[in-house]
Amino acid sequence: MSKKLLVPVAVILACAVILAAAGAGLAGTAAANAEKELGEMISYLLPGGGEFEEIEYKGTDSKITNVYKGEGGYVLAMTTNGYVDEIKLLVAVDNDGVVKGYTVRDIHDTYGLGLGVQDDLYFLVGLMNSKGDLAVNSNIDAVTGATVSTKGVTKGVNAALAAAEAMN
């Protein structure tokens, strides 16, 4: 190897070691921040729900990934099918079987269309305070240009309601 290359290669290796060490050192911080954010989101979705604890989901719906139980009800984490990819949701259901909150955690649908399931007012109002049996174009309006994603989210909310009812 040429002596001219030795110094740049050594600098690159030193930088790689420093970056790897920094990444390993910050991994715990990132995990703690993600856990804190999830806790805040759960409390926001089901206000007055008290302390939440993760419980084992014993149902058969494979789309439900985690269940958090509080005094006021459940918050269910799940995936559902969108137009482009899976949509990750949190759905809050109170002890009376009513949807009290919902948020999209991750979505990769078309910007300006499929992403409307996150913030379309009419769609959100249709989901809130529902008790199940939601059906797009029946008792809930689809987000314009996002029918597939709307149906996926609606199925997810129905699944959350059914799972919460089964756990009560």
Coordinates of all heavy atoms in Angstrom, one line a residue, residues 41-147:
M41 N -47.9 9.4 24.0 CA -49.0 9.2 23.0 C -50.1 8.4 23.5 O -51.3 8.7 23.3 CB -48.3 8.6 21.8 CG -49.1 8.8 20.5 SD -48.3 8.2 19.1 CE -46.8 9.2 19.0
I42 N -49.8 7.3 24.3 CA -50.9 6.5 24.8 C -51.7 7.3 25.8 O -53.0 7.2 25.8 CB -50.3 5.2 25.5 CG1 -49.8 4.3 24.4 CG2 -51.3 4.5 26.4 CD1 -49.0 3.1 25.0
S43 N -51.1 8.1 26.7 CA -51.8 8.9 27.6 C -52.7 10.0 26.9 O -53.8 10.3 27.4 CB -50.9 9.6 28.6 OG -50.2 8.6 29.4
Y44 N -52.2 10.5 25.8 CA -52.9 11.5 25.1 C -54.1 10.9 24.4 O -55.2 11.5 24.3 CB -52.0 12.1 24.0 CG -52.7 13.2 23.2 CD1 -52.9 14.4 23.7 CD2 -53.1 12.9 21.9 CE1 -53.5 15.4 22.9 CE2 -53.7 13.8 21.1 CZ -53.9 15.1 21.6 OH -54.5 16.0 20.8
L45 N -54.0 9.7 23.9 CA -55.1 9.0 23.1 C -56.2 8.6 24.1 O -57.4 8.6 23.6 CB -54.6 7.8 22.4 CG -53.7 8.0 21.2 CD1 -53.1 6.7 20.7 CD2 -54.5 8.7 20.1
L46 N -55.9 8.2 25.3 CA -57.0 7.8 26.2 C -56.8 8.6 27.5 O -56.3 8.1 28.5 CB -56.9 6.3 26.5 CG -58.1 5.7 27.2 CD1 -59.4 5.9 26.4 CD2 -57.9 4.2 27.4
P47 N -57.1 9.9 27.5 CA -56.9 10.7 28.7 C -57.8 10.2 29.9 O -58.9 9.7 29.7 CB -57.4 12.1 28.3 CG -58.1 12.0 27.0 CD -57.8 10.6 26.4
G48 N -57.2 10.3 31.1 CA -57.9 9.8 32.2 C -57.8 8.2 32.3 O -58.5 7.6 33.2
G49 N -57.0 7.6 31.5 CA -56.9 6.2 31.5 C -56.0 5.6 32.6 O -55.9 4.4 32.8
G50 N -55.4 6.6 33.4 CA -54.5 6.1 34.5 C -53.2 5.6 33.9 O -52.7 6.0 32.8
E51 N -52.5 4.8 34.7 CA -51.2 4.2 34.3 C -51.5 3.1 33.4 O -52.5 2.3 33.5 CB -50.5 3.7 35.6 CG -50.0 4.8 36.5 CD -48.9 5.6 35.9 OE1 -48.0 5.1 35.2 OE2 -49.0 6.9 36.0
F52 N -50.7 3.0 32.4 CA -50.8 1.9 31.4 C -49.7 0.9 31.5 O -48.6 1.2 31.8 CB -50.8 2.5 29.9 CG -52.0 3.2 29.6 CD1 -52.1 4.6 29.8 CD2 -53.1 2.6 28.9 CE1 -53.2 5.3 29.5 CE2 -54.2 3.3 28.6 CZ -54.3 4.6 28.9
E53 N -50.1 -0.4 31.3 CA -49.1 -1.5 31.3 C -49.4 -2.3 30.1 O -50.5 -2.5 29.6 CB -49.2 -2.3 32.6 CG -50.5 -3.1 32.7 CD -50.5 -4.1 33.9 OE1 -49.5 -4.6 34.2 OE2 -51.6 -4.3 34.4
E54 N -48.3 -2.8 29.5 CA -48.4 -3.7 28.3 C -48.8 -5.0 28.8 O -48.3 -5.6 29.8 CB -47.1 -3.8 27.6 CG -47.2 -4.5 26.3 CD -45.9 -4.5 25.5 OE1 -45.0 -3.8 25.8 OE2 -45.9 -5.1 24.4
I55 N -49.9 -5.6 28.2 CA -50.4 -6.9 28.5 C -50.2 -7.8 27.3 O -50.1 -7.3 26.2 CB -51.8 -6.9 29.0 CG1 -52.8 -6.3 27.9 CG2 -51.9 -6.0 30.3 CD1 -54.2 -6.5 28.3
E56 N -50.3 -9.1 27.6 CA -50.2 -10.1 26.5 C -51.5 -10.1 25.7 O -52.6 -10.2 26.3 CB -49.8 -11.4 27.0 CG -49.7 -12.5 26.0 CD -49.4 -13.9 26.5 OE1 -49.2 -14.0 27.7 OE2 -49.3 -14.8 25.7
Y57 N -51.4 -10.0 24.4 CA -52.6 -10.2 23.6 C -52.8 -11.7 23.2 O -51.9 -12.3 22.7 CB -52.5 -9.3 22.3 CG -53.6 -9.6 21.3 CD1 -54.9 -9.2 21.7 CD2 -53.4 -10.1 20.1 CE1 -56.0 -9.4 20.8 CE2 -54.4 -10.3 19.2 CZ -55.7 -10.0 19.5 OH -56.7 -10.2 18.7
K58 N -53.9 -12.2 23.6 CA -54.1 -13.7 23.4 C -55.1 -13.9 22.3 O -55.6 -15.1 22.1 CB -54.6 -14.3 24.7 CG -53.6 -14.2 25.8 CD -54.1 -14.8 27.1 CE -53.1 -14.7 28.2 NZ -53.5 -15.2 29.4
G59 N -55.5 -12.9 21.5 CA -56.5 -13.1 20.5 C -55.8 -13.6 19.2 O -54.6 -14.0 19.2
T60 N -56.6 -13.7 18.2 CA -56.2 -14.4 16.9 C -55.8 -13.4 15.8 O -55.3 -13.8 14.8 CB -57.3 -15.3 16.4 OG1 -58.5 -14.5 16.2 CG2 -57.6 -16.4 17.4
D61 N -56.1 -12.1 16.0 CA -55.8 -11.1 15.0 C -54.3 -10.8 14.9 O -53.7 -10.2 15.8 CB -56.6 -9.8 15.2 CG -56.5 -8.9 14.0 OD1 -55.6 -9.0 13.2 OD2 -57.4 -8.1 13.9
S62 N -53.6 -11.3 13.9 CA -52.1 -11.2 13.8 C -51.7 -9.7 13.6 O -50.5 -9.4 13.7 CB -51.6 -12.1 12.8 OG -52.1 -11.7 11.5
K63 N -52.6 -8.9 13.2 CA -52.3 -7.5 12.9 C -52.1 -6.7 14.2 O -51.5 -5.6 14.2 CB -53.4 -6.8 12.1 CG -53.6 -7.4 10.7 CD -52.7 -6.7 9.7 CE -53.0 -7.3 8.3 NZ -52.0 -6.8 7.4
I64 N -52.6 -7.2 15.3 CA -52.4 -6.5 16.6 C -51.1 -6.9 17.2 O -50.8 -8.1 17.4 CB -53.6 -6.8 17.6 CG1 -54.9 -6.3 17.0 CG2 -53.3 -6.2 19.0 CD1 -56.1 -6.7 17.8
T65 N -50.2 -5.9 17.4 CA -48.9 -6.2 17.8 C -48.6 -6.0 19.3 O -47.8 -6.7 19.9 CB -47.9 -5.3 17.0 OG1 -48.2 -3.9 17.2 CG2 -47.9 -5.6 15.6
N66 N -49.3 -5.0 19.9 CA -49.2 -4.7 21.3 C -50.5 -4.2 21.9 O -51.3 -3.6 21.2 CB -48.1 -3.7 21.6 CG -46.8 -4.0 21.0 OD1 -46.5 -3.8 19.9 ND2 -45.9 -4.6 21.9
V67 N -50.7 -4.5 23.2 CA -51.9 -4.0 23.9 C -51.5 -3.4 25.2 O -50.7 -4.0 25.9 CB -52.9 -5.1 24.2 CG1 -54.1 -4.6 24.9 CG2 -53.4 -5.8 22.9
Y68 N -51.9 -2.2 25.4 CA -51.6 -1.4 26.7 C -52.9 -1.2 27.4 O -53.9 -0.7 26.8 CB -51.0 -0.1 26.3 CG -49.7 -0.3 25.5 CD1 -49.8 -0.2 24.1 CD2 -48.5 -0.6 26.0 CE1 -48.7 -0.4 23.3 CE2 -47.4 -0.7 25.2 CZ -47.5 -0.7 23.9 OH -46.4 -0.9 23.0
K69 N -53.0 -1.7 28.6 CA -54.2 -1.6 29.4 C -54.1 -0.5 30.5 O -53.1 -0.5 31.2 CB -54.6 -2.9 30.1 CG -55.9 -2.8 30.9 CD -56.3 -4.2 31.3 CE -57.6 -4.1 32.2 NZ -58.5 -3.0 32.1
G70 N -55.1 0.3 30.6 CA -55.1 1.3 31.7 C -56.5 1.2 32.4 O -57.3 0.4 32.0
E71 N -56.7 2.0 33.4 CA -57.9 2.0 34.1 C -59.1 2.3 33.2 O -60.2 1.8 33.4 CB -57.9 3.0 35.3 CG -56.9 2.6 36.3 CD -56.7 3.7 37.4 OE1 -57.5 4.6 37.5 OE2 -55.7 3.6 38.0
G72 N -58.9 3.2 32.2 CA -60.0 3.7 31.4 C -60.2 2.9 30.1 O -61.2 3.1 29.4
G73 N -59.4 1.9 29.8 CA -59.5 1.1 28.6 C -58.2 0.6 28.1 O -57.3 0.4 28.8
Y74 N -58.2 0.4 26.8 CA -57.1 -0.2 26.1 C -56.6 0.7 25.0 O -57.3 1.5 24.4 CB -57.5 -1.5 25.4 CG -57.9 -2.5 26.4 CD1 -59.3 -2.6 26.7 CD2 -57.1 -3.4 27.0 CE1 -59.8 -3.6 27.6 CE2 -57.5 -4.4 27.9 CZ -58.9 -4.4 28.2 OH -59.3 -5.4 29.1
V75 N -55.3 0.7 24.7 CA -54.7 1.3 23.5 C -54.0 0.1 22.8 O -53.2 -0.6 23.4 CB -53.7 2.4 23.9 CG1 -53.0 2.9 22.6 CG2 -54.4 3.5 24.6
L76 N -54.4 -0.1 21.6 CA -53.9 -1.2 20.8 C -53.0 -0.7 19.7 O -53.3 0.2 18.9 CB -55.0 -2.0 20.2 CG -55.9 -2.7 21.2 CD1 -57.1 -1.8 21.5 CD2 -56.3 -4.0 20.8
A77 N -51.8 -1.3 19.6 CA -50.9 -1.0 18.5 C -51.1 -2.1 17.4 O -51.2 -3.3 17.8 CB -49.4 -1.0 19.0
M78 N -51.1 -1.7 16.2 CA -51.4 -2.7 15.1 C -50.9 -2.2 13.8 O -50.5 -1.0 13.6 CB -52.9 -2.9 15.0 CG -53.7 -1.6 14.6 SD -55.4 -1.9 14.5 CE -55.8 -2.8 16.0
T79 N -50.8 -3.1 12.9 CA -50.5 -2.8 11.5 C -51.7 -3.1 10.6 O -52.5 -4.1 11.0 CB -49.3 -3.6 11.0 OG1 -49.6 -5.0 11.1 CG2 -48.1 -3.2 11.7
T80 N -51.9 -2.4 9.6 CA -53.0 -2.7 8.6 C -52.5 -2.4 7.2 O -51.5 -1.7 7.1 CB -54.3 -1.9 9.0 OG1 -55.4 -2.3 8.2 CG2 -54.1 -0.4 8.8
N81 N -53.2 -2.9 6.2 CA -52.7 -2.7 4.9 C -53.1 -1.3 4.4 O -54.3 -0.9 4.5 CB -53.3 -3.7 4.0 CG -52.8 -5.1 4.3 OD1 -51.6 -5.2 4.7 ND2 -53.6 -6.1 4.1
G82 N -52.2 -0.6 3.8 CA -52.4 0.7 3.1 C -52.3 0.4 1.6 O -52.2 -0.7 1.1
Y83 N -52.2 1.5 0.8 CA -52.1 1.4 -0.6 C -50.7 1.0 -1.0 O -50.6 0.1 -1.9 CB -52.5 2.8 -1.2 CG -52.4 2.8 -2.7 CD1 -53.3 2.1 -3.5 CD2 -51.4 3.5 -3.4 CE1 -53.2 2.1 -4.9 CE2 -51.3 3.5 -4.8 CZ -52.2 2.8 -5.5 OH -52.1 2.8 -6.9
V84 N -49.7 1.6 -0.4 CA -48.3 1.3 -0.7 C -47.7 0.2 0.2 O -47.0 -0.7 -0.3 CB -47.5 2.6 -0.7 CG1 -46.0 2.3 -0.9 CG2 -48.0 3.6 -1.7
D85 N -47.9 0.4 1.4 CA -47.3 -0.5 2.4 C -48.2 -0.6 3.7 O -49.3 0.0 3.7 CB -45.9 0.2 2.8 CG -45.0 -0.8 3.5 OD1 -45.3 -2.0 3.6 OD2 -43.9 -0.3 3.9
E86 N -47.7 -1.2 4.7 CA -48.5 -1.3 5.9 C -48.6 0.0 6.6 O -47.6 0.8 6.5 CB -47.8 -2.3 6.9 CG -48.0 -3.8 6.4 CD -47.5 -4.8 7.5 OE1 -46.6 -4.4 8.2 OE2 -48.0 -5.9 7.5
I87 N -49.6 0.2 7.3 CA -49.8 1.4 8.1 C -49.8 1.0 9.6 O -50.5 0.0 10.0 CB -51.2 2.1 7.8 CG1 -51.3 2.5 6.4 CG2 -51.4 3.3 8.7 CD1 -52.7 2.9 5.9
K88 N -49.0 1.7 10.4 CA -48.9 1.4 11.8 C -49.8 2.3 12.6 O -49.7 3.5 12.4 CB -47.5 1.4 12.3 CG -46.6 0.3 11.7 CD -45.2 0.4 12.2 CE -44.4 -0.7 11.5 NZ -43.1 -0.8 11.9
L89 N -50.7 1.8 13.4 CA -51.7 2.6 14.1 C -51.6 2.4 15.6 O -51.2 1.3 16.1 CB -53.1 2.2 13.7 CG -53.5 2.2 12.3 CD1 -54.9 1.5 12.2 CD2 -53.6 3.6 11.7
L90 N -52.1 3.3 16.4 CA -52.5 3.2 17.8 C -54.0 3.5 17.8 O -54.4 4.6 17.3 CB -51.7 4.1 18.7 CG -50.3 3.8 19.0 CD1 -49.6 4.9 19.8 CD2 -50.1 2.4 19.7
V91 N -54.8 2.7 18.4 CA -56.2 2.9 18.6 C -56.6 2.8 20.1 O -56.3 1.8 20.7 CB -57.1 1.9 17.7 CG1 -58.6 2.3 17.9 CG2 -56.7 2.0 16.3
A92 N -57.2 3.8 20.6 CA -57.6 3.8 22.0 C -59.1 3.5 22.1 O -59.9 4.1 21.4 CB -57.4 5.2 22.6
V93 N -59.4 2.5 22.9 CA -60.8 2.1 23.1 C -61.1 2.1 24.6 O -60.4 1.5 25.4 CB -61.1 0.7 22.6 CG1 -62.5 0.2 22.8 CG2 -60.7 0.6 21.1
D94 N -62.2 2.8 25.0 CA -62.5 2.9 26.5 C -63.2 1.7 26.9 O -63.5 0.8 26.1 CB -63.2 4.2 26.8 CG -64.7 4.2 26.3 OD1 -65.2 3.2 25.8 OD2 -65.3 5.3 26.5
N95 N -63.4 1.6 28.2 CA -64.0 0.4 28.8 C -65.5 0.2 28.3 O -66.0 -0.9 28.5 CB -64.0 0.5 30.3 CG -62.6 0.3 30.9 OD1 -61.8 -0.5 30.3 ND2 -62.3 0.9 32.0
D96 N -66.1 1.2 27.7 CA -67.4 1.0 27.2 C -67.4 0.6 25.7 O -68.5 0.5 25.1 CB -68.2 2.3 27.3 CG -68.4 2.7 28.7 OD1 -68.6 1.8 29.6 OD2 -68.4 3.9 29.0
G97 N -66.2 0.3 25.2 CA -66.1 -0.1 23.8 C -66.3 1.0 22.8 O -66.8 0.8 21.7
V98 N -65.8 2.2 23.1 CA -65.9 3.4 22.2 C -64.5 3.9 21.9 O -63.7 4.0 22.7 CB -66.7 4.5 22.9 CG1 -66.8 5.7 22.1 CG2 -68.1 4.0 23.3
V99 N -64.3 4.2 20.6 CA -63.1 4.7 20.1 C -62.9 6.1 20.7 O -63.7 7.0 20.5 CB -63.0 4.7 18.6 CG1 -61.7 5.4 18.1 CG2 -63.1 3.3 18.0
K100 N -61.8 6.3 21.4 CA -61.5 7.6 22.0 C -60.3 8.3 21.4 O -60.1 9.5 21.6 CB -61.3 7.5 23.5 CG -62.6 7.1 24.3 CD -63.6 8.2 24.1 CE -64.9 7.9 24.8 NZ -65.9 8.9 24.5
G101 N -59.6 7.6 20.7 CA -58.4 8.2 20.0 C -57.8 7.3 19.0 O -58.0 6.0 19.1
Y102 N -57.0 7.9 18.1 CA -56.4 7.1 17.0 C -55.3 7.9 16.4 O -55.4 9.1 16.3 CB -57.5 6.8 16.0 CG -57.1 6.9 14.5 CD1 -56.6 5.8 13.9 CD2 -57.3 8.0 13.8 CE1 -56.2 5.9 12.6 CE2 -57.0 8.1 12.5 CZ -56.4 7.1 11.9 OH -56.0 7.2 10.6
T103 N -54.2 7.3 16.2 CA -53.1 8.0 15.5 C -52.4 7.0 14.6 O -52.3 5.8 14.8 CB -52.1 8.7 16.5 OG1 -51.3 9.5 15.8 CG2 -51.4 7.6 17.3
V104 N -51.8 7.6 13.5 CA -51.0 6.8 12.6 C -49.6 7.0 13.0 O -49.1 8.2 13.1 CB -51.2 7.3 11.1 CG1 -50.2 6.7 10.2 CG2 -52.6 7.1 10.7
R105 N -48.9 5.9 13.3 CA -47.5 6.0 13.7 C -46.5 6.0 12.6 O -45.5 6.5 12.6 CB -47.2 4.8 14.6 CG -47.9 4.8 15.9 CD -47.4 5.7 17.0 NE -45.9 5.8 17.1 CZ -45.2 5.3 18.1 NH1 -45.8 4.7 19.1 NH2 -43.9 5.5 18.1
D106 N -46.9 5.3 11.5 CA -46.0 5.1 10.3 C -46.9 4.8 9.1 O -47.7 3.9 9.1 CB -45.0 4.0 10.6 CG -43.9 4.0 9.5 OD1 -43.5 5.0 9.1 OD2 -43.5 2.9 9.2
I107 N -46.6 5.6 8.0 CA -47.4 5.4 6.8 C -46.5 5.9 5.6 O -45.7 6.8 5.8 CB -48.7 6.2 6.8 CG1 -49.5 5.9 5.5 CG2 -48.5 7.7 7.0 CD1 -51.0 6.4 5.6
H108 N -46.5 5.1 4.5 CA -45.7 5.4 3.4 C -46.6 5.6 2.1 O -46.1 5.3 1.0 CB -44.7 4.3 3.2 CG -43.8 4.2 4.3 ND1 -42.7 5.0 4.6 CD2 -43.8 3.3 5.4 CE1 -42.1 4.7 5.7 NE2 -42.7 3.6 6.2
D109 N -47.8 6.0 2.3 CA -48.7 6.2 1.1 C -48.4 7.5 0.4 O -47.5 8.3 0.8 CB -50.1 6.2 1.6 CG -50.7 4.8 1.8 OD1 -49.9 3.8 1.6 OD2 -51.8 4.6 2.2
T110 N -49.1 7.7 -0.7 CA -48.9 8.8 -1.6 C -49.1 10.1 -0.8 O -50.1 10.3 -0.2 CB -49.8 8.7 -2.8 OG1 -49.7 7.4 -3.4 CG2 -49.5 9.8 -3.8
Y111 N -48.1 11.0 -0.9 CA -48.2 12.3 -0.2 C -49.4 13.0 -0.8 O -49.6 13.1 -2.0 CB -46.9 13.1 -0.4 CG -47.0 14.4 0.3 CD1 -46.8 14.5 1.6 CD2 -47.3 15.6 -0.4 CE1 -46.8 15.7 2.3 CE2 -47.3 16.8 0.3 CZ -47.1 16.8 1.6 OH -47.2 18.0 2.3
G112 N -50.2 13.6 0.1 CA -51.4 14.4 -0.4 C -52.6 13.6 -0.6 O -53.7 14.1 -0.7
L113 N -52.5 12.2 -0.7 CA -53.6 11.4 -0.9 C -53.8 10.4 0.3 O -54.5 10.7 1.2 CB -53.5 10.6 -2.2 CG -53.5 11.4 -3.5 CD1 -53.3 10.6 -4.7 CD2 -54.8 12.2 -3.6
G114 N -53.0 9.3 0.2 CA -53.1 8.3 1.3 C -52.8 8.9 2.7 O -53.3 8.4 3.7
L115 N -51.9 9.9 2.7 CA -51.6 10.5 4.0 C -52.8 11.2 4.7 O -52.7 11.5 5.8 CB -50.4 11.4 3.9 CG -49.1 10.8 3.4 CD1 -48.0 11.9 3.3 CD2 -48.7 9.7 4.3
G116 N -53.8 11.4 3.9 CA -55.0 12.0 4.4 C -55.7 11.3 5.6 O -56.4 11.8 6.4
V117 N -55.4 10.0 5.7 CA -56.0 9.2 6.8 C -55.4 9.7 8.2 O -56.0 9.3 9.2 CB -55.8 7.7 6.7 CG1 -56.5 7.2 5.4 CG2 -54.3 7.3 6.7
Q118 N -54.4 10.5 8.1 CA -53.8 11.0 9.4 C -54.6 12.3 9.9 O -54.6 12.5 11.1 CB -52.4 11.4 9.2 CG -51.5 10.3 8.8 CD -50.1 10.7 8.6 OE1 -49.3 10.6 9.5 NE2 -49.8 11.2 7.4
D119 N -55.1 13.0 8.9 CA -55.6 14.4 9.3 C -56.8 14.9 8.6 O -57.2 16.0 8.8 CB -54.4 15.4 9.1 CG -53.9 15.4 7.7 OD1 -54.6 14.9 6.8 OD2 -52.9 16.0 7.5
D120 N -57.5 14.0 7.9 CA -58.8 14.4 7.3 C -59.8 14.5 8.4 O -60.2 13.5 9.0 CB -59.2 13.4 6.2 CG -60.4 13.8 5.5 OD1 -60.3 14.6 4.5 OD2 -61.5 13.4 5.9
L121 N -60.3 15.7 8.6 CA -61.3 16.0 9.7 C -62.5 15.1 9.6 O -62.9 14.5 10.6 CB -61.7 17.5 9.6 CG -62.6 17.9 10.7 CD1 -62.0 17.7 12.1 CD2 -63.0 19.4 10.6
Y122 N -63.1 15.0 8.5 CA -64.4 14.2 8.4 C -64.1 12.7 8.7 O -64.9 12.1 9.3 CB -65.0 14.4 7.0 CG -65.5 15.8 6.8 CD1 -64.8 16.6 5.9 CD2 -66.5 16.3 7.5 CE1 -65.2 18.0 5.8 CE2 -67.0 17.6 7.4 CZ -66.3 18.4 6.5 OH -66.7 19.7 6.3
F123 N -63.0 12.2 8.2 CA -62.6 10.8 8.5 C -62.4 10.6 10.0 O -62.9 9.7 10.6 CB -61.4 10.4 7.7 CG -61.0 9.0 7.9 CD1 -61.8 8.0 7.5 CD2 -59.7 8.7 8.4 CE1 -61.4 6.6 7.7 CE2 -59.3 7.4 8.6 CZ -60.2 6.4 8.2
L124 N -61.6 11.5 10.6 CA -61.3 11.4 12.0 C -62.6 11.5 12.9 O -62.8 10.7 13.8 CB -60.3 12.5 12.4 CG -58.9 12.4 11.8 CD1 -58.1 13.6 12.1 CD2 -58.3 11.1 12.2
V125 N -63.5 12.4 12.5 CA -64.7 12.6 13.3 C -65.6 11.3 13.1 O -66.2 10.9 14.1 CB -65.5 13.8 12.8 CG1 -66.9 13.8 13.3 CG2 -64.8 15.1 13.2
G126 N -65.5 10.7 12.0 CA -66.3 9.4 11.8 C -65.8 8.3 12.6 O -66.5 7.4 13.1
L127 N -64.5 8.3 12.9 CA -63.9 7.2 13.7 C -64.1 7.4 15.2 O -64.4 6.5 15.9 CB -62.4 7.1 13.5 CG -61.9 6.7 12.1 CD1 -60.4 6.7 12.1 CD2 -62.4 5.3 11.8
M128 N -64.0 8.7 15.6 CA -64.1 9.0 17.0 C -65.5 8.7 17.5 O -66.5 8.9 16.9 CB -63.8 10.4 17.3 CG -62.4 10.8 16.9 SD -61.1 9.8 17.7 CE -61.3 10.5 19.3
N129 N -65.6 8.1 18.7 CA -66.8 7.8 19.4 C -67.6 6.7 18.7 O -68.8 6.6 19.0 CB -67.7 9.0 19.7 CG -67.0 10.0 20.6 OD1 -66.4 9.6 21.6 ND2 -67.0 11.3 20.3
S130 N -67.0 6.0 17.8 CA -67.7 4.9 17.1 C -67.6 3.6 18.0 O -66.7 3.5 18.9 CB -67.1 4.6 15.8 OG -65.8 4.2 15.9
K131 N -68.5 2.7 17.8 CA -68.5 1.5 18.5 C -68.4 0.2 17.7 O -68.7 -0.9 18.1 CB -69.9 1.4 19.3 CG -70.0 2.3 20.5 CD -71.2 1.9 21.3 CE -71.0 2.6 22.6 NZ -71.6 1.8 23.7
G132 N -67.9 0.4 16.5 CA -67.6 -0.7 15.6 C -68.5 -0.8 14.4 O -69.3 0.1 14.2
D133 N -68.3 -1.8 13.7 CA -69.0 -2.1 12.4 C -68.9 -0.9 11.5 O -69.9 -0.5 10.8 CB -70.5 -2.4 12.7 CG -70.7 -3.7 13.4 OD1 -69.9 -4.6 13.2 OD2 -71.6 -3.8 14.2
L134 N -67.7 -0.3 11.4 CA -67.5 0.8 10.5 C -67.3 0.2 9.1 O -66.6 -0.8 8.9 CB -66.2 1.6 10.9 CG -66.3 2.3 12.3 CD1 -65.0 2.9 12.7 CD2 -67.3 3.4 12.2
A135 N -67.8 0.9 8.1 CA -67.7 0.5 6.7 C -67.6 1.7 5.8 O -68.4 2.6 5.9 CB -68.8 -0.4 6.3
V136 N -66.5 1.7 5.0 CA -66.3 2.8 4.2 C -67.4 2.9 3.2 O -67.9 1.9 2.6 CB -64.9 2.7 3.4 CG1 -64.7 3.8 2.4 CG2 -63.8 2.7 4.5
N137 N -67.9 4.1 3.0 CA -69.0 4.5 2.1 C -70.3 4.0 2.6 O -71.3 4.0 1.9 CB -68.7 4.0 0.6 CG -67.6 4.8 0.0 OD1 -67.3 5.9 0.4 ND2 -66.8 4.1 -0.8
S138 N -70.4 3.5 3.8 CA -71.6 3.1 4.4 C -71.9 4.1 5.6 O -72.8 4.9 5.5 CB -71.6 1.7 4.9 OG -72.7 1.3 5.6
N139 N -71.1 3.9 6.7 CA -71.3 4.8 7.8 C -70.0 5.7 8.1 O -70.0 6.3 9.1 CB -71.7 4.0 9.1 CG -70.7 2.9 9.4 OD1 -69.7 2.7 8.7 ND2 -71.0 2.2 10.5
I140 N -69.1 5.6 7.2 CA -67.9 6.4 7.3 C -67.4 6.8 5.8 O -67.5 6.0 5.0 CB -66.8 5.8 8.1 CG1 -65.7 6.8 8.4 CG2 -66.2 4.6 7.4 CD1 -64.8 6.3 9.5
D141 N -67.1 8.1 5.6 CA -66.7 8.5 4.3 C -65.2 8.3 4.1 O -64.4 8.5 5.0 CB -66.9 10.0 4.2 CG -68.4 10.4 4.1 OD1 -69.2 9.5 3.7 OD2 -68.8 11.5 4.6
A142 N -64.9 7.8 2.9 CA -63.5 7.6 2.5 C -62.8 9.0 2.3 O -63.4 9.9 2.0 CB -63.4 6.8 1.2
V143 N -61.5 9.0 2.6 CA -60.7 10.1 2.4 C -60.5 10.2 0.8 O -60.2 9.2 0.2 CB -59.3 10.0 3.0 CG1 -58.4 11.2 2.7 CG2 -59.5 10.0 4.6
T144 N -60.8 11.4 0.3 CA -60.7 11.5 -1.2 C -59.3 11.1 -1.7 O -58.3 11.6 -1.2 CB -61.0 13.0 -1.6 OG1 -62.3 13.4 -1.1 CG2 -60.9 13.2 -3.1
G145 N -59.3 10.2 -2.7 CA -58.1 9.7 -3.3 C -57.4 8.7 -2.5 O -56.2 8.3 -2.8
A146 N -57.9 8.3 -1.3 CA -57.2 7.3 -0.5 C -58.2 6.2 0.0 O -58.2 5.8 1.2 CB -56.7 8.1 0.7
T147 N -58.9 5.7 -0.9 CA -59.9 4.7 -0.5 C -59.3 3.4 0.1 O -59.8 2.9 1.1 CB -60.8 4.3 -1.8 OG1 -61.4 5.5 -2.3 CG2 -61.9 3.3 -1.4

